[in-house]
Amino acid sequence: MDSRLRSFPDVLLSVENISLSFGGVNALTDISFDIAKGEVRAIIGPNGAGKSSMLNCINGFYHPQHGAITYKGVRRNQMKPHEAAEQGIARTFQNIALFRGMSTLDNIMTGRNLRMKTGLLWQALHIGPARREEIEHRKAVERIIEFLEIQHIRKAPVGTLPYGLQKRVELGRALAAEPELLLLDEPMAGMNIEEKQDMCRFILDVNDEFGTTICLIEHDMSVVMDISDRVVVLDYGRKIGDGTPDEIKKNEAVITAYLGVGH
Amino acid sequence: MLGPFLETLIGGLLTGVLYSLVALGFVLIFKASGVFNFAQGAMVLFAALTVARLTDEIDGKALGLEHFVIAAAVLGAALALVGWYAWREYVARGSGPGERRRLALLAAGGALIGGVIAFAYGKGAWPLWVALAATASIMGLLAYAIERLVLRHLVNQEGIILFMATLGIANFLDGFGQTLWGSDIYTINLGLPKDPIFLFEGVFPGGLLIDPAELFAAGIAAVLVVVLAVFFQKTRVGRALRAVADDHAAAQSVGIPLNTIWLIVWTVAGLVALAAGVIWGAKLGVQFSISLIALKALPVLILGGFTSVPGAIIGGLIIGAGEKLSEIFLAPILVQAFDLAGGGIENWFAYMLALIFLLFRPQGLFGERIIERV
Amino acid sequence: MLYREAGQFKTDYAADQQIFPILQDRIFVFGVIAAAFAIVPAIASEYLYTEILIPFLILSLAAIGLNILVGYCGQVSLGTGGFMAVGAYAAYNLWLRVPEANNLVVVFLFGGLMAAAVGILFGLPSLRIKGFYLAVATLASQFFLDWLFARVKWLTNYTPSGSVAVGDLHVFGWRIDGPADRYLLILGMVVVATIVAKNLVRGHIGRSWMAIRDMDIAAEIIGFRPLRTKLLAFAVSSFFIGVAGAMWGFLRLGSWEPLAFDINRSFQILFMVIIGGLGSLVGSFMGAAFIVLTPVLLNQLPGWLGVNMSTAMISHLEFMVFGAMIVFFLIVEPHGLARLWAVAKEKLRLWPFPH
Ligand SMILES: Nc1ncnc2c1ncn2[C@@H]1O[C@H](COP(=O)(O)OP(=O)(O)OP(=O)(O)O)[C@@H](O)[C@H]1O
Ligand SMILES: [Mg+2]
């Protein structure tokens, strides 16, 4: 009842036997799972379980020592972050990583940079194609601003905005890239209930309306159970569970990891 | 071939020790406060000028009244400003013993400066050790003034702003030092032996020629480098400084207020500048170009790392040796090949060396490789 | 009540994206430019041209160039003087060796392009090293270039003293002779360059620079290529700086030696950028004005006060005043004159109602 029973036949991304370590710390050990096209996939786990590291591997920021990632049918084990972005992977960050010196509008405009192609000379003159391109993308960005209900802070420098709004702007920046796969690292951390509800609504809308596949990390269990189709559980860098929210709720290993032994 | 090579190498290493010393001044401040202190060179010049003038037999009045008037005005203004801040704090916090002590210290400092200047503008020379002691106290006061008048107002600013502020301080000090002490070329006489020494006469024909003054200077510098390294690694204050470098909050728990720590590092950096200035001044004479030796120490920083004490030491030696060797052995080849108007590649060779090194090891000599996270 | 944006509704994004969205600002700026072209030549003296206006304009251009790199892209550079030298000597050699190219616009553009090439070369380390490490690394370019122009005889055409001189300058058949000609040429080029700079920083290229400046990791993850973005900033910045250097040599000095572009020049330009305001083109002009005018005033001051002062003392005083001013400004407003100006305008906009 609380999980949404939908079916997703196509695999968009699959992770095979990924292992990643930093010096002596094993952040990820032999992880495999997949993300289906169109689903909302959650990654959960206690602090330090390796969730953020997992996202960092997916978008090429960390390079795992072992294993491979297949995305849209192409298998690879090394990729640069900007290549991932060019392939349609966008993300938000656990600790807000906005461009603090820029306005909301400019921040979201950066999300469209991959689509902005006019060269240096046109840009220098700011006529013809450069001007048209700027206006065309501005329109797209304005739609996102409207969708996220942040019109009032359009010109404000993001550094001065409250936390909840910054998170929203960051989502906007990721959406502006019109990604196929959207990675969200704790999009609701530190928000009050109202803000969380808004954020849930945005995520589900994006998933429904644009068919964007979403992979999110979240600590709030009720949110995870509500909005995700399938859940991966990590603990100490290992996968200890994978399945629908209902299955996860009944999984012994998960219960132990979350509640501690003895409960 | 080996003889000249070794001679050059030793000469380079001896200069390198001095670079290490200056670089340590940078490292100290950067580690403890995250400030890239571009005023280090100006402090070297200022200290050297002070010692030179205090030990010299020059008639102070030769400088002219304008120097005296302007220097006095600047000093007066600085003192007034510091005094005014102190007074405001005194009024705000009430008269604790600490406050009273601080005011007393300030007054003593003012008196010291006044005394030194009155003497210097009179006629007469001080023995070296008195001049050194006076200059050391002046460097301490300078550190206090910098902390009180500049740094404290810029806490929490970005690194580049603080860096710019030190550029401002450097400019100010360059101008002030020369206003106070004049811009003639002075000498500092440390009473070092002059006759060259020949080493390994049995091994090489004619032996290796070493300038004893250089050897002695490098010896002093080496001792200071070791003292500083020990100070940093072993003493309570040193450990506190390292704690601040790692984490400001943690430093608070060591029980030493941030202001005090900044005061200490700037004072120590001032003393390092004094040592470097005296040694350098004894070698080459005291003149404006002395403030440029700070620029020579910078490649040491990128090579050894801004925060590494051993990095500064080893880096200094590498740069010193590399510079001299390149000038003697590489420059003539370049001059030949490209029909140059003279060598002089030591001005940039050290930088290129450091840069090329960085391309292969971005973390520097002793830094650990850090994987950034998001 | 005169300075208001109320009532000026923007009907489309094009209007919103103008350089000066507020009408009064537009009028003011056009007024200043028109006056600079039309009124100044009618009243200016030789002294005003050579000691104030020409240095101010050329150094403003250099400051804009540096601001692109430091203020917009966040890469601190201490090598500005070196890049100016590249511009100046490249321009000199073209002028000297290719008589057909005796057109200052061509000569200056060539200087700028060569500086851009050298800038790219010295920008390469920026991929591996950041912050102050990079700043120190840029000193390498300064010292290397200083050395290059002092020692490679071909570059200075084997003149015994190493000092080079230019003369008989033309622009599209217009002979550049007196200070008024030089001023007008510089003014024209600086206005064009400023518009180009503004266009670049307000478009997607400018955003890529600022993204790298504010958070390079995030920028890379959303698809900016760090090296390409930084190198472009180095190239564009050095281009402007190179053009400024060529102008400095040709139109301000006439004959010069490498010392004209030494490390003090680098610091001078950096001061302009910081005092004017990082990441502000208007600030670059303000900073340049400040740095050019202060010594002029200081030199006049003793005369006005009727005191006699040696030139050495004046130079020391200049050092001190500069140093103190820099510190003072940083404490009062770390974001520079441009921010002070913006705050003042904001007040004016709300005046006479405080909120
Ligand atoms: N760049 C890095 N360098 C060194 N260690 C790292 C790095 N990134 C992650 N780690 C280590 O890897 C482990 C997993 O970290 P990760 O950030 O992936 O955990 P997480 O599940 O996201 O935790 P949290 O819920 O706290 O965000 C931790 O022990 C962490 O210290
Ligand atoms: Mg995490």
Side-chain angles (χ1 to χ4, degrees):
Chain A
M1 145 83 206
D2 44 12
S3 79
R4 311 182 294 165
L5 286 174
R6 309 189 286 173
S7 74
F8 305 94
D10 304 327
V11 172
L12 178 66
L13 177 135
S14 72
V15 175
E16 293 154 48
N17 310 102
I18 289 273
S19 294
L20 171 76
S21 63
F22 300 99
V25 183
N26 291 325
L28 297 170
T29 314
D30 200 27
I31 307 273
S32 303
F33 69 97
D34 61 25
I35 301 175
K37 206 171 168 57
E39 75 172 333
V40 176
R41 187 69 145 129
I43 302 179
I44 62 171
N47 290 100
K51 306 180 295 295
S52 298
S53 301
M54 191 65 241
L55 290 198
N56 284 333
C57 288
I58 292 179
N59 78 340
F61 187 62
Y62 288 168
H63 301 291
Q65 281 89 359
H66 299 287
I69 293 176
T70 307
Y71 175 64
K72 291 205 280 191
V74 183
R75 200 178 138 91
R76 58 183 165 83
N77 34 22
Q78 291 266 318
M79 189 194 249
K80 293 244 164 70
H82 64 81
E83 288 168 340
E86 281 154 21
Q87 305 278 320
I89 302 179
R91 71 172 287 183
T92 67
F93 302 87
Q94 181 167 0
N95 299 310
I96 296 174
L98 284 171
F99 306 124
R100 293 177 60 87
M102 300 160 73
S103 66
T104 299
L105 182 63
D106 279 340
N107 264 279
I108 302 181
M109 285 293 276
T110 60
R112 300 206 57 90
N113 72 86
L114 284 171
R115 293 158 194 278
M116 301 188 73
K117 297 270 194 281
T118 51
L120 188 65
L121 283 181
W122 284 120
Q123 282 291 313
L125 300 174
H126 197 76
I127 51 170
R131 212 181 151 92
R132 278 198 296 278
E133 186 186 59
E134 185 83 9
I135 290 171
E136 173 200 329
H137 289 286
R138 171 77 187 269
K139 281 180 188 149
V141 165
E142 288 291 342
R143 280 197 294 276
I144 289 169
I145 288 180
E146 214 164 293
F147 169 71
L148 294 174
E149 297 155 18
I150 46 178
Q151 295 93 329
H152 57 294
I153 54 164
R154 190 186 278 123
K155 297 262 164 101
V158 290
T160 62
L161 297 177
Y163 183 81
L165 281 179
Q166 291 199 20
K167 282 255 167 195
R168 226 186 263 193
V169 175
E170 212 189 11
L171 177 63
R173 186 178 67 186
L175 288 178
E178 296 176 25
E180 270 176 80
L181 175 59
L182 179 59
L183 311 174
L184 304 173
D185 197 343
E186 308 200 8
M188 285 161 253
M191 289 188 165
N192 62 34
I193 295 188
E194 227 169 284
E195 289 170 325
K196 278 189 185 177
Q197 281 170 347
D198 281 342
M199 194 50 103
C200 280
R201 182 160 55 80
F202 295 136
I203 293 172
L204 288 177
D205 280 355
V206 169
N207 182 245
D208 284 344
E209 284 179 31
F210 310 116
T212 310
T213 309
I214 288 170
C215 176
L216 88 162
I217 295 172
E218 186 47 61
H219 279 295
D220 185 328
M221 278 313 133
S222 61
V223 169
V224 171
M225 298 302 163
D226 261 3
I227 68 172
S228 48
D229 298 297
R230 287 193 299 161
V231 182
V232 178
V233 192
L234 302 184
D235 189 21
Y236 290 112
R238 292 174 188 280
K239 185 169 101 167
I240 58 168
D242 189 353
T244 64
D246 286 329
E247 287 163 6
I248 291 299
K249 271 188 234 167
K250 297 184 201 105
N251 184 321
E252 280 301 325
V254 176
I255 294 169
T256 320
Y258 263 83
L259 304 175
V261 194
H263 284 268
Chain B
M1 196 57 208
L2 191 60
F5 177 81
L6 280 182
E7 235 170 61
T8 315
L9 180 67
I10 294 174
L13 288 176
L14 293 182
T15 317
V17 181
L18 261 171
Y19 293 163
S20 297
L21 188 60
V22 178
L24 269 182
F26 280 103
V27 168
L28 216 58
I29 290 186
F30 191 82
K31 225 170 140 85
S33 57
V35 177
F36 177 24
N37 174 25
F38 218 84
Q40 191 69 29
M43 282 160 65
V44 172
L45 173 66
F46 184 78
L49 274 175
T50 310
V51 173
R53 273 306 303 273
L54 291 180
T55 53
D56 213 336
E57 295 269 2
I58 309 169
D59 184 354
K61 295 181 193 69
L63 268 185
L65 187 62
E66 53 186 27
H67 283 262
F68 185 74
V69 170
I70 291 182
V74 170
L75 273 176
L79 263 178
L81 210 54
V82 171
W84 183 65
Y85 278 125
W87 177 249
R88 256 197 355 191
E89 269 165 40
Y90 180 78
V91 170
R93 280 204 225 134
S95 52
E99 294 300 317
R100 233 173 276 144
R101 204 171 56 222
R102 192 182 351 204
L103 281 185
L105 264 176
L106 265 178
L112 175 78
I113 297 179
V116 169
I117 291 176
F119 192 89
Y121 275 81
K123 210 177 203 165
W126 286 356
L128 184 64
W129 67 272
V130 182
L132 285 177
T135 311
S137 334
I138 289 180
M139 295 315 281
L141 289 172
L142 180 67
Y144 181 77
I146 290 175
E147 196 280 323
R148 185 63 236 169
L149 297 181
V150 182
L151 298 177
R152 201 179 293 186
H153 304 277
L154 292 171
V155 201
N156 296 333
Q157 292 289 355
E158 288 165 52
I160 179 163
I161 302 285
L162 284 155
F163 163 66
M164 285 302 301
T166 66
L167 274 175
I169 295 173
N171 257 11
F172 184 86
L173 265 187
D174 279 346
F176 181 61
Q178 296 182 80
T179 303
L180 195 54
W181 306 125
S183 44
D184 298 330
I185 300 176
Y186 301 106
T187 51
I188 296 179
N189 190 356
L190 295 180
L192 298 177
K194 290 274 188 305
D195 300 327
I197 310 175
F198 293 92
L199 291 178
F200 302 115
E201 273 176 283
V203 188
F204 303 100
L208 298 179
L209 175 89
I210 309 273
D211 181 357
E214 285 215 335
L215 199 62
F216 192 77
I220 300 176
V223 169
L224 282 170
V225 166
V226 171
V227 168
L228 278 176
V230 170
F231 164 75
F232 225 113
Q233 308 291 344
K234 294 278 172 339
T235 64
R236 193 177 83 94
V237 177
R239 279 198 299 272
L241 295 184
R242 282 193 302 168
V244 191
D246 297 337
D247 176 359
H248 280 233
Q252 302 288 323
S253 65
V254 185
I256 304 180
L258 211 56
N259 294 339
T260 313
I261 287 189
W262 285 21
L263 181 57
I264 293 173
V265 283
W266 279 79
T267 306
V268 176
L271 297 181
V272 169
L274 169 60
V278 169
I279 296 173
W280 205 264
K283 266 170 92 163
L284 301 173
V286 179
Q287 52 188 314
F288 187 67
S289 65
I290 257 197
S291 68
L292 298 181
I293 77 159
L295 295 178
K296 292 257 179 182
L298 291 181
V300 178
L301 290 185
I302 38 178
L303 194 63
F306 276 72
T307 54
S308 163
V309 173
I313 298 172
I314 306 291
L317 295 178
I318 294 179
I319 295 289
E323 198 178 271
K324 283 283 181 312
L325 288 174
S326 72
E327 189 59 49
I328 300 290
F329 296 102
L330 183 61
I333 301 175
L334 287 180
V335 170
Q336 270 274 298
F338 297 105
D339 184 23
L340 304 177
I345 66 173
E346 57 181 346
N347 285 337
W348 55 266
F349 187 81
Y351 280 93
M352 288 297 172
L353 198 70
L355 259 186
I356 291 167
F357 181 83
L358 270 193
L359 287 184
F360 294 103
R361 226 185 123 79
Q363 66 270 42
L365 270 176
F366 292 100
E368 272 180 42
R369 189 176 194 110
I370 294 171
I371 300 166
E372 286 171 293
R373 42 173 101 197
V374 279
Chain C
M1 296 297 276
L2 286 175
Y3 187 71
R4 249 330 105 82
E5 64 180 319
Q8 301 177 18
F9 296 110
K10 281 142 208 140
T11 46
D12 58 10
Y13 297 134
D16 192 39
Q17 285 166 356
Q18 289 181 65
I19 296 181
F20 299 107
I22 300 176
L23 179 67
Q24 286 85 340
D25 279 341
R26 279 201 297 278
I27 295 174
F28 176 73
V29 170
F30 284 128
V32 168
I33 294 176
F37 274 110
I39 301 177
V40 169
I43 55 172
S45 64
E46 166 121 22
Y47 176 82
L48 186 64
Y49 280 132
T50 52
E51 294 307 315
I52 296 177
L53 290 175
I54 290 178
F56 160 69
L57 286 172
I58 298 177
L59 295 178
S60 297
L61 181 59
I64 285 176
L66 185 62
N67 215 335
I68 284 176
L69 190 61
V70 184
Y72 286 93
C73 197
Q75 314 294 305
V76 183
S77 163
L78 303 174
T80 315
F83 296 126
M84 286 179 80
V86 173
Y89 284 100
Y92 167 74
N93 278 290
L94 184 74
W95 172 85
L96 178 77
R97 295 168 203 282
V98 189
E100 299 80 43
N102 188 356
N103 178 339
L104 282 186
V105 172
V106 176
V107 167
F108 289 166
L109 286 182
F110 179 74
L113 288 175
M114 292 308 283
V118 176
I120 290 176
L121 199 65
F122 281 103
L124 282 174
S126 68
L127 181 68
R128 301 298 292 271
I129 54 179
K130 294 175 182 173
F132 291 128
Y133 285 84
L134 181 65
V136 174
T138 58
L139 276 177
S141 66
Q142 176 71 48
F143 291 128
F144 178 74
L145 294 169
D146 274 356
W147 173 86
L148 193 73
F149 296 116
R151 306 290 170 153
V152 180
K153 298 181 208 156
W154 184 85
L155 291 172
T156 48
N157 197 29
Y158 298 91
T159 47
S161 63
S163 136
V164 300
V166 295
D168 183 30
L169 307 172
H170 295 273
V171 175
F172 300 113
W174 166 32
R175 200 183 140 78
I176 302 297
D177 225 357
D181 290 349
R182 284 184 273 143
Y183 162 77
L184 284 175
L185 174 63
I186 294 169
L187 180 65
M189 291 188 74
V190 169
V191 167
V192 171
T194 308
I195 294 172
V196 166
K198 182 70 198 176
N199 284 341
L200 286 178
V201 299
R202 69 187 167 138
H204 70 88
I205 290 176
R207 284 191 295 270
S208 71
W209 290 337
M210 291 187 275
I212 289 284
R213 170 195 71 191
D214 285 349
M215 189 156 282
D216 52 353
I217 298 174
E220 186 177 2
I221 286 174
I222 68 174
F224 295 109
R225 293 169 184 231
L227 184 60
R228 198 194 265 184
T229 309
K230 287 180 194 170
L231 289 188
L232 186 61
F234 267 97
V236 172
S237 156
S238 309
F239 176 81
F240 283 118
I241 292 171
V243 171
M247 284 183 176
W248 190 257
F250 276 63
L251 300 177
R252 156 85 179 136
L253 302 175
S255 71
W256 71 92
E257 43 197 306
L259 224 55
F261 304 104
D262 67 357
I263 186 166
N264 293 319
R265 180 74 59 205
S266 301
F267 283 131
Q268 186 192 36
I269 313 281
L270 188 62
F271 285 156
M272 293 179 183
V273 170
I274 304 266
I275 288 183
L278 285 167
S280 160
L281 296 183
V282 182
S284 301
F285 284 96
M286 294 181 175
F290 182 84
I291 299 279
V292 169
L293 287 178
T294 308
V296 171
L297 288 181
L298 276 179
N299 271 304
Q300 303 289 331
L301 199 63
W304 290 339
L305 296 178
V307 236
N308 229 339
M309 224 185 252
S310 65
T311 41
M313 190 62 233
I314 290 181
S315 131
H316 301 156
L317 203 57
E318 207 177 296
F319 267 104
M320 280 195 285
V321 171
F322 257 176
M325 289 277 211
I326 287 165
V327 170
F328 176 77
F329 268 116
L330 289 175
I331 291 174
V332 173
E333 180 52 77
H335 300 286
L337 295 172
R339 175 65 64 88
L340 286 178
W341 171 241
V343 170
K345 271 203 326 191
E346 192 59 22
K347 289 234 169 76
L348 186 60
R349 199 155 69 88
L350 299 171
W351 187 83
F353 312 105
H355 285 292

